[in-house]
Amino acid sequence: MRFCPECKSLMIARSGKMHCRRCDYSEEITDSESLKVTKTRVEKEIVIVDEDDAIPTLPTCAIRCPQCDHNVAYWWLRQLRSADESEVRFFRCVSCSHTWREYD
């Protein structure tokens, strides 16, 4: 990240130059590694670590377990992707401890 020397605003890369959106200052990009173009978004593996001791303190709801058909499960929310996307609801069956997720 580079900041404008004139107004201290964040600069953006465009056409091989760094441009300031606020004051129109621009400069050439001299370091070839400072500009990296990617065509695909790289997803990192998401690891969810749950402490089994904390599970009984989670709230419960009436939902049918897809594995054993029990009708009560613990639930919690996690923000797995970027902040502009909705959270993912996780459920864990009280009876068989099967865990599944639901998206909005």
Side-chain angles (χ1 to χ4, degrees), residues 37-94:
V37 178
T38 58
K39 295 185 184 213
T40 59
R41 182 176 161 183
V42 178
E43 293 284 337
K44 295 181 180 176
E45 184 176 333
I46 298 169
V47 178
I48 299 172
V49 179
D50 288 323
E51 298 174 9
D52 288 334
D53 297 340
I55 293 295
T57 63
L58 291 173
T60 58
C61 65
I63 189 168
R64 187 143 323 266
C65 174
Q67 191 166 1
C68 73
D69 288 333
H70 190 72
N71 63 354
V72 178
Y74 300 111
W75 67 274
W76 65 95
L77 298 172
R78 291 281 190 267
Q79 185 73 41
L80 298 181
R81 297 181 184 261
S82 61
D84 63 339
E85 296 183 25
S86 63
E87 295 175 317
V88 177
R89 283 186 305 269
F90 285 89
F91 299 97
R92 180 168 293 159
C93 179
V94 172

Side-chain angles (χ1 to χ4, degrees), residues 9-26:
S9 179
L10 183 64
M11 298 179 73
I12 59 168
R14 183 178 36 182
S15 305
K17 293 183 177 181
M18 295 299 289
H19 295 276
C20 177
R21 290 184 187 176
R22 185 177 293 167
C23 70
D24 293 328
Y25 174 84
S26 66

